[in-house]
């Protein structure tokens, strides 16, 4: 919420020689590397564009090398939950439910583990399947073993893997979701025992020299697949970028110089995968607690999920405020990790549980008793008197804060327990609607872009900004109009109408097919 976007510009040149064309991005000026924010406005960008338009170009440096990409270790609990969220769109709770079913039916090993170890039996089974089903280039000379990074991982435990490597996903008798998760586990396990993928990578520095004092360096990168290795079983998104034949000191011609405006964005909000990764990184919880932790913060309405990411609710921010102001030593991540370690020491017989609990609880109980007296609910969120009158007793209604956010309540409570839903006005961006401004009849009375949420469909809950004059004006944008000033032209409405027509046509065809 505190993030302030910054404007910056990038400049791309389309260059060509007799063998073809490619794009290179501006990287240096007069030997100094230009960081992302170095070109801060359009005027600075256009000055460089003018320089580049009258420059001569040549290849200053060319480096070609072979890059090897190695497979990841077989799954632990946290990496399974992270990957299932990214690739399959499964919640951590659903992932663990499906894994439990696969385990109970004997298809996979135990699904709560920190270990990446594989038994010799499992290594032999993977090697046998690879030799029998893939060409010889895909077999390793010897098994690949992975080193545990978790302090608590026990050497006797194994990673999550299929119990029988020869049972491929299409041979599994299970529900569709179980098959999808099994396929993820099976592919990760088999891929871990395959050779690395080999890429040919090319890096090019292009020198642009002007008649004046400035010299620029633009860079381009290319990559092509030489051998897919483990990627044959564990596919990832990879876009080959093939550059034309180039050699050092080759002269080039610029056919286009393109500046582009950008704005910095805040760090992304947590999704299930990144939150689990962070919990593991800080030592908070254990494999068995990641899914319940996420389930709890959702069930208690501390966060809400929008487009797969977690957004704090008003009650969540309030709880956070109260805890950090009054119990900072408990909500500190170092405290949480320390307590986890002490509980592990108790389990291993290194500490007595009575001492550990006493050392924590005695000062905590005293602190808690003091805060119960000091911290009052009305001090945290003072009731806000409104001009609305209670329709049951005639007393003023006040704004109060409950588990699900703000609501209207009678000031006569507890004698009168009347409550109502509080409907807050949409938040205005302060940006005028560009469509209204383009309309001669509305120039003097343009609408403002208001923050709204999609009410239905796949995008339900997603933020957008729409004109306050709706339905008279239907202009809307996804991007924050403060960060990226919106534009409008009559062609936009024509394209929108065409999209709506295509969507309606697809819907009719789908309905007709279903009826048939």
């Amino acid at each position: 919420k505190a993030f302030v976007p910054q404007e910056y510009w990038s400049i791309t040149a389309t260059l060509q020689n007799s063998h073809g064309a490619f794009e290179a991005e501006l990287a240096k000026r007069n030997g100094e590397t230009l960081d992302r924010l170095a070109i801060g406005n359009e005027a600075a960008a256009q000055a460089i564009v003018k320089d580049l338009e009258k420059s001569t170009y040549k290849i200053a440096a060319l480096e070609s090398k072979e890059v090897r990409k190695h497979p990841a270790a077989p799954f632990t609990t946290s990496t399974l939950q992270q990957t299932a969220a990214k690739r399959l769109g499964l919640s951590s709770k659903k992932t663990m439910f499906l894994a439990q079913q696969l385990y109970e039916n004997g298809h996979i090993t135990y699904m709560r583990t920190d270990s990446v170890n594989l038994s010799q039996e499992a290594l032999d089974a993977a090697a046998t399947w690879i030799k029998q089903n893939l060409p010889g280039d895909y077999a390793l000379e010897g098994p690949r073993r992975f080193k545990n990074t978790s302090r608590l991982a026990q050497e006797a435990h194994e990673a999550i893997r299929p119990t029988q490597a020869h049972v491929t996903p299409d041979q599994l008798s299970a529900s569709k979701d179980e098959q999808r998760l099994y396929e993820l586990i099976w592919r990760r396990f088999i891929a871990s025992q395959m050779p690395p993928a080999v890429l040919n990578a090319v890096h090019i520095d292009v020198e642009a020299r002007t008649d004046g004092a400035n010299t620029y360096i633009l860079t381009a990168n290319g990559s092509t697949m030489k051998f897919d290795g483990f990627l044959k079983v564990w596919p990832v998104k990879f876009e080959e970028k093939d550059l034309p034949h180039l050699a050092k000191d080759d002269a080039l011609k610029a056919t286009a110089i393109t500046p582009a405006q950008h704005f910095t964005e805040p760090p992304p909000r947590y999704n299930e995968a990144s939150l689990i990764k962070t919990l593991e990184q800080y030592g908070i919880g254990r494999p068995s607690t990641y899914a319940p932790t996420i389930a709890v913060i959702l069930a208690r309405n501390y966060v809400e999920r929008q487009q797969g990411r977690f957004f704090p609710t008003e009650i969540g921010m309030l709880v956070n405020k109260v805890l950090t102001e009054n119990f900072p030593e408990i909500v500190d991540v170092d405290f949480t990790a320390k307590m986890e370690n002490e509980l592990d020491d108790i389990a291993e017989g290194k500490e007595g549980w009575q001492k550990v609990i006493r050392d924590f609880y005695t000062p905590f109980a005293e602190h808690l008793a003091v805060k119960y007296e000091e911290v009052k609910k009305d001090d945290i969120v003072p009731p806000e008197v409104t001009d609305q009158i209670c329709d049951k007793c005639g007393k003023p209604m006040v704004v109060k804060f409950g588990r699900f956010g703000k609501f209207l309540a009678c000031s006569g409570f507890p004698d009168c327990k009347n409550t109502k839903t509080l409907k807050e006005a949409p938040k205005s961006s302060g940006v005028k609607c560009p469509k209204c401004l383009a309309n001669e009849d509305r120039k003097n009375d343009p609408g403002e872009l208001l923050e709204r949420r999609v009410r239905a469909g796949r995008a339900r809950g997603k933020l957008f900004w729409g004109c306050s004059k709706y339905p008279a004006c239907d202009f809307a944008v996804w991007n924050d109009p403060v960060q990226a000033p919106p534009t409008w032209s009559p062609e936009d409405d024509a394209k929108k109408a065409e999209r709506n027509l295509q969507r309606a046509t697809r819907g009719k065809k789908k309905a007709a097919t279903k009826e048939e």
Side-chain angles (χ1 to χ4, degrees), residues 127-332:
T128 299
W129 188 91
I130 292 167
K131 288 175 182 177
Q132 290 178 350
N133 294 275
L134 297 174
D137 291 348
Y138 293 94
L140 292 174
E141 291 183 3
R144 181 186 285 112
R145 300 180 187 276
F146 296 87
K147 186 176 180 180
N148 286 314
T149 56
S150 171
R151 181 183 68 84
L152 298 169
Q154 298 184 33
E155 296 302 316
H157 291 179
E158 274 198 87
I160 304 170
R161 63 167 178 85
T163 53
Q164 300 179 81
H166 66 271
V167 179
T168 56
D170 59 314
Q171 297 173 336
L172 191 74
S173 177
S175 69
K176 184 178 179 180
D177 280 342
E178 286 174 25
Q179 281 186 319
R180 292 169 70 213
L181 188 64
Y182 179 80
E183 181 174 7
L184 207 64
I185 295 167
W186 183 88
R187 287 184 178 276
R188 180 75 162 237
F189 165 65
I190 294 295
S192 74
Q193 298 305 307
M194 292 177 66
V198 182
L199 310 175
N200 285 327
V202 179
H203 175 82
I204 295 170
D205 285 345
V206 177
E207 181 185 82
R209 189 174 291 276
T210 67
D211 295 335
N214 292 324
T215 300
Y216 299 92
I217 295 292
L218 298 91
T219 62
N221 294 292
S223 60
T224 54
M225 185 77 72
K226 184 177 179 181
F227 173 59
D228 57 358
F230 77 95
L231 297 178
K232 190 172 186 66
V233 169
W234 184 258
V236 297
K237 289 182 179 178
F238 174 75
E239 185 178 344
E240 289 189 297
K241 187 177 180 182
D242 202 1
L243 297 174
H245 177 72
L246 300 164
K248 191 174 184 302
D249 296 326
D250 274 0
L252 301 168
K253 179 184 178 182
T255 57
I257 307 294
T258 309
Q261 183 188 41
H262 312 275
F263 291 90
T264 56
E265 295 183 352
R269 292 190 181 274
Y270 284 116
N271 56 22
E272 290 220 7
S274 60
L275 183 53
I276 290 169
K277 185 177 182 179
T278 305
L279 290 173
E280 186 179 38
Q281 179 185 339
Y282 281 110
I284 298 172
R286 291 295 178 261
S288 60
T289 64
Y290 299 139
T293 297
I294 290 173
V296 165
I297 62 174
L298 283 166
R300 293 185 181 174
N301 198 41
Y302 295 155
V303 297
E304 60 183 7
R305 191 187 276 115
Q306 297 174 20
Q307 298 293 295
R309 296 197 176 271
F310 296 122
F311 285 71
T313 60
E314 281 190 290
I315 188 69
M317 289 188 283
L318 181 61
V319 168
N320 180 71
K321 179 176 182 289
V322 172
L323 290 176
T324 52
E325 289 180 357
N326 295 284
F327 302 95
E329 71 282 4
I330 291 176
V331 294
D332 180 74

Side-chain angles (χ1 to χ4, degrees), residues 383-394:
E384 179 186 336
V385 179
T386 70
D387 55 4
Q388 295 191 45
I389 302 299
C390 176
D391 52 10
K392 291 188 177 179
C393 70

Side-chain angles (χ1 to χ4, degrees), residues 75-143:
F75 285 128
T76 60
T77 303
S78 68
T79 55
L80 175 63
Q81 291 175 355
Q82 292 171 50
T83 308
K86 290 176 183 176
R87 292 203 167 199
L88 306 180
L90 297 176
S91 68
S92 54
K93 185 177 181 180
K94 181 68 176 288
T95 297
M96 295 312 292
F97 171 78
L98 295 171
Q100 180 77 37
Q101 298 297 109
L102 291 170
Y103 170 69
E104 289 179 0
N105 290 317
H107 299 309
I108 64 170
T109 54
Y110 193 53
M111 65 286 165
R112 293 189 178 93
T113 176
D114 280 327
S115 177
V116 292
N117 288 334
L118 291 172
S119 67
Q120 188 60 51
E121 178 187 2
L123 294 170
D124 292 342
T128 299
W129 188 91
I130 292 167
K131 288 175 182 177
Q132 290 178 350
N133 294 275
L134 297 174
D137 291 348
Y138 293 94
L140 292 174
E141 291 183 3

